[in-house]
Amino acid sequence: MKEALKYWWLVLIKGIILILLSFFVLGNPVGALMGLVLYIGIATLATGIFLIIASLSGPKEENWGWRLAEGIIDLIFGFVLLSNPGISAAVLPFVVGFWVIFSGILTFVGSFTAKKEGDSSWWMNLIGGLLTIFIGYIITNNFFAGAVAITFWIGLGFFIAGAISISASLGMRKLMKAA
């Protein structure tokens, strides 16, 4: 434990880098969206390759064909994303927007089930579902709003993770001095 506390400054550096990254993401939403598309494309491509290798090299289990199919689909999807990142970045807000709309519809419909079951806060789900559908509509119909919304949440996540890392590093430093 004491050995790990000696490296409190690495956690501090990580936190500072995450906060700086959050400012970059929030200040450059289109660039951040391109980076996200590239990251997703590379990750999907790698996942596809690993799934194909796993399905072909291991013993032929009952569902090995499904794993192979998933790997091939991931591989194709990764190639599509990486072949034209600009188009992929332009499409990403639509995909996220439709996902948000679908989530809002499920929340809206679920509010009626909650009302039937006697949940007194059913109306919050109703309003939340309608607001979520509206936000999804805005994201799908305005590229800039969609890009800003996606990158805002990513940037906020980086900022929070950075603040937590800095706080943890200062706590580690305090523990190290006490030990």
Side-chain angles (χ1 to χ4, degrees):
M1 172 80 168
K2 189 175 181 182
E3 187 68 25
L5 293 176
K6 284 191 335 186
Y7 299 105
W8 65 271
W9 55 274
L10 288 173
V11 179
L12 176 67
I13 291 172
K14 173 187 168 188
I16 292 169
I17 290 171
L18 284 169
I19 288 178
L20 291 174
L21 184 59
S22 76
F23 289 133
F24 170 76
V25 168
L26 293 171
N28 188 2
V30 175
L33 198 61
M34 289 292 290
L36 181 63
V37 165
L38 291 174
Y39 173 77
I40 292 170
I42 291 168
T44 307
L45 192 67
T47 302
I49 291 168
F50 291 135
L51 283 170
I52 290 169
I53 291 170
S55 67
L56 295 176
S57 64
K60 301 297 184 253
E61 299 171 2
E62 184 177 331
N63 293 325
W64 75 271
W66 287 109
R67 188 180 309 127
L68 178 63
E70 180 183 2
I72 292 169
I73 291 169
D74 281 353
L75 191 68
I76 292 169
F77 187 61
F79 275 125
V80 168
L81 286 174
L82 294 173
S83 66
N84 196 338
I87 291 175
S88 299
V91 171
L92 189 60
F94 294 109
V95 172
V96 170
F98 284 117
W99 174 70
V100 169
I101 289 171
F102 183 71
S103 176
I105 290 170
L106 292 177
T107 303
F108 177 78
V109 171
S111 70
F112 296 108
T113 304
K115 182 179 180 181
K116 286 180 185 177
E117 293 174 354
D119 185 354
S120 61
S121 62
W122 68 271
W123 59 274
M124 290 172 55
N125 286 338
L126 180 81
I127 293 171
L130 290 173
L131 285 173
T132 304
I133 293 167
F134 179 69
I135 290 168
Y137 174 78
I138 290 172
I139 291 172
T140 57
N141 288 299
N142 185 337
F143 170 78
F144 185 72
V148 169
I150 292 168
T151 55
F152 171 78
W153 289 110
I154 292 170
L156 183 62
F158 282 148
F159 186 84
I160 291 169
I164 290 170
S165 289
I166 290 172
S167 176
S169 72
L170 297 176
M172 290 169 66
R173 181 177 179 215
K174 189 176 180 180
L175 283 173
M176 186 189 77
K177 284 186 176 184

